[in-house]
Amino acid sequence: MLQRTIGVTLLALLLMAAAAPLSAAHDEFRIIGTVTKISAKEIAVKQKDGKVVEIDIDKQTKFTRDKKPVKASDVKVGGSVVVDAIGDTILDLLALEVRLVPAITSAK
């Protein structure tokens, strides 16, 4: 009986330890700019400062326009987007939502 209790306790501890990295917090990022590349797995967005940020896309990534769902295929190179993403750094991002927005113009 004692061995079974120890075994169950060890199993529970191992499961909690394995789940810890999955629940580790990521930083939130908002990338605003123009789409330079789009594929089934990635979107590249050129920001106002000229830097291009590559962001991974997965099956959970939402695509919206005016708060309504759209298809990923509606995203076009040259289109303006706001991407909400998570990651450890700007070099390792996963898109949570890609919002298609009106053309972004610079104020003069």
Side-chain angles (χ1 to χ4, degrees), residues 50-96:
K51 293 181 182 175
V52 176
V53 179
E54 295 180 345
I55 308 155
D56 292 337
I57 295 171
D58 68 8
K59 292 179 182 180
Q60 282 74 43
T61 302
K62 295 181 195 175
F63 294 87
T64 62
R65 177 185 289 131
D66 298 325
K67 299 183 182 180
K68 296 177 183 141
V70 296
K71 296 177 183 175
S73 60
D74 291 335
V75 179
K76 304 293 183 200
V77 171
S80 296
V81 294
V82 175
V83 181
D84 288 326
I86 58 170
D88 295 325
T89 70
I90 198 154
L91 300 174
D92 177 35
L93 295 179
L94 173 63
L96 300 175

Side-chain angles (χ1 to χ4, degrees), residues 38-49:
I38 182 80
S39 72
K41 295 186 179 190
E42 185 177 74
I43 184 170
V45 179
K46 184 175 183 179
Q47 300 179 104
K48 188 176 178 180
D49 63 5

Side-chain angles (χ1 to χ4, degrees), residues 15-26:
L15 289 174
M16 287 190 304
L22 298 176
S23 64
H26 293 288

Side-chain angles (χ1 to χ4, degrees), residues 3 13 19 23 25 27 29-31 38 49-50 55-56 60 67 76 98 104-105:
Q3 286 180 330
L13 289 172
S23 64
D27 291 327
F29 294 82
R30 177 164 286 163
I31 308 300
I38 182 80
D49 63 5
I55 308 155
D56 292 337
Q60 282 74 43
K67 299 183 182 180
K76 304 293 183 200
V98 177
I104 299 170
T105 58

